[in-house]
Amino acid sequence: MLTGKKILLGITGSIAAYKIPLLVRLLKKDGADVRVVMTPSAKDFVTPLTLSTLSGNPVLSHGFDPETGKWESHVELGLWADLFVVAPASANTMAKMAYGMADNYLLTVCLSAKCPIMFAPAMDLDMYKHQATQQNIKTLIERGCIFVAPSSGELASGLCGEGRMEEPQKIYERIKDFFQTKRRFTGKKVLITAGPTYEAIDPVRFIGNHSSGLMGIEIARAFARQGAEVTLVLGPSNISPNMKDIRLMPVTSAKEMYDAVMTFFPKTDIAVMSAAVADFRPEMVADQKIKKNPDNDTMTLKLVKTEDILRSVGAMKNEKQTVVGFALETENGLTNAKKKLHTKNIDLIVLNEMNESGVGFKSKTNKISIITKDDKVIEFELKAKSEVALDVLNAIYQYINHE
Ligand code: CTP
């Protein structure tokens, strides 16, 4: 599967570096051409000799090799690779990548690489949780780098938590996934809704929900990476997809989201409606801020139904269009999701059950089941939302191609 693929591995200073020889073996066994660059501190954790023996290529950590007197151009290496995988990616290297620093050979390659960059962080849980690290990861993802989320477990420090580099086998699978799925939605027009909607009560208040928009944004990013032409209709969210291949349509209310979807849907091949659309809006929006009435301890707001966007596209869709909905349930998940799938006339539904841990609007992870039109249920484990997005795309791809 990886025959002829040129993979550049970047190893940084983290104890998890001792696992990388295994990754090199997996890639080589699969036919990939592997070259390795290391930061100086990575050599404290794994030897260049092991890596050059396994990869069959000299390992580089300087542009200039004093023994051969040869100059290795970082630009050439960046152009050579089909994929650059930085694993383990230390907090320090990620920070430097985010800021475009180039004070070692690996970083110069990062800056000149024309190929996509995948990174698999490894560090202690407090370093991983730190706002600065999280911000750097966000910057890299927004720039289009592929994030292999660390898992939770025992760490070298003896602590237990998030920050453990994903296992070599899993990184290898992500690499295979990358090559397999690279351009498989090329030419497809994809419409995605994400985030909450805000329904105005008066000029300063609204009815909303806690949706962050992250799940839909990850789906949009995954489609864009796999070659689709993506339009993302995004309710108020403080996350931005920041990918030049995604056309972003920011909206606030359910009505605005509905109007945007109606504009784009006729030319859409695949619609994924992941937004947490408000089901009701105030019947009247006050022109001025509503004042407290000193004689009244209660206040009644009359609400009216918003447009059901998913139901509308389900009713409009033709045979060539695929429509995917989401179902957010707190009880009887499967029954309710199946009901939504059929009554809204859609092709697939992604079920989120809010009562499971690690699932929810504010979480970075999600656990889903996907139900197809013929009531087939596919269950998935708890994963980072970026990986859940890949599962959703796989299910859509298989559905469209009758696999
Ligand atoms: N949806 C929509 N427009 C609405 C409400 C929901 O497009 N006004 C879409 C959501 O984007 C999601 C699906 O419908 O894809 C299901 O949303 P959910 O909130 O789970 O269900 P509802 O249909 O609103 O039903 P209920 O609130 O009764 O569970």
Side-chain angles (χ1 to χ4, degrees), residues 362-377:
K362 287 186 178 153
S363 170
K364 281 196 209 133
T365 52
N366 199 2
K367 184 172 184 308
I368 59 159
S369 305
I370 299 179
I371 304 146
T372 62
K373 227 178 178 173
D374 49 7
D375 283 339
K376 198 170 99 190
V377 182

Side-chain angles (χ1 to χ4, degrees), residues 77-323:
L77 208 52
L79 289 176
W80 170 84
D82 296 317
L83 178 68
F84 184 16
V85 182
V86 183
S90 64
N92 182 46
T93 293
M94 287 193 308
K96 289 178 177 176
M97 283 165 72
Y99 282 93
M101 291 169 70
D103 63 357
N104 63 41
Y105 188 65
L106 184 148
L107 289 165
T108 57
V109 179
C110 272
L111 271 186
S112 47
K114 289 273 179 288
C115 62
I117 299 178
M118 182 180 278
F119 68 110
M123 69 206 68
D124 219 44
L125 79 165
D126 292 317
M127 285 174 93
Y128 183 68
K129 268 200 241 149
H130 197 283
Q131 251 184 325
T133 305
Q134 289 301 317
Q135 183 57 46
N136 293 329
I137 291 176
K138 190 166 163 250
T139 304
L140 293 174
I141 294 174
E142 287 180 350
R143 214 175 273 158
C145 296
I146 305 159
F147 174 52
V148 182
S151 55
S152 257
E154 244 176 66
L155 300 162
S157 61
L159 296 172
C160 197
E162 219 177 356
R164 200 165 74 165
M165 186 185 78
E166 193 48 284
E167 292 302 324
Q169 179 69 33
K170 284 268 178 76
I171 302 177
Y172 162 65
E173 276 157 23
R174 285 295 293 271
I175 294 172
K176 277 202 305 186
D177 228 44
F178 166 81
F179 285 108
Q180 232 163 29
T181 61
K182 215 169 152 196
R183 311 298 309 166
R184 70 179 170 175
F185 286 104
T186 300
K188 294 281 182 217
K189 292 191 170 64
V190 177
L191 176 63
I192 295 165
T193 64
T197 65
Y198 288 177
E199 310 304 323
I201 297 171
D202 66 18
V204 295
R205 303 181 180 98
F206 60 83
I207 297 173
N209 60 64
H210 295 297
S211 167
S212 66
L214 181 61
M215 192 61 254
I217 289 173
E218 291 293 9
I219 292 174
R221 286 176 179 151
F223 267 118
R225 284 195 197 108
Q226 295 189 21
E229 225 177 273
V230 182
T231 303
L232 173 64
V233 182
L234 181 62
S237 160
N238 47 29
I239 313 172
S240 154
N242 261 2
M243 267 179 81
K244 63 176 183 344
D245 297 332
I246 297 177
R247 171 162 53 181
L248 182 64
M249 305 296 304
V251 296
T252 303
S253 64
K255 175 74 172 75
E256 286 171 15
M257 189 171 274
Y258 173 82
D259 289 343
V261 168
M262 290 304 123
T263 306
F264 292 106
F265 184 69
K267 288 197 182 133
T268 292
D269 298 301
I270 303 165
V272 182
M273 306 282 102
S274 70
V277 189
D279 288 330
F280 294 93
R281 73 164 73 87
E283 185 178 39
M284 305 284 291
V285 182
D287 288 341
Q288 304 298 332
K289 185 177 171 225
I290 300 170
K291 291 288 181 194
K292 275 197 295 267
N293 181 346
D295 304 324
N296 212 340
D297 284 345
T298 61
M299 181 195 164
T300 306
L301 268 181
K302 185 166 179 198
L303 303 179
V304 292
K305 267 193 186 154
T306 56
E307 299 75 9
D308 190 325
I309 306 168
L310 184 62
R311 191 182 289 272
S312 308
V313 295
M316 282 166 75
K317 82 181 188 81
N318 64 36
E319 279 184 359
K320 287 192 188 142
Q321 292 174 305
T322 304
V323 176

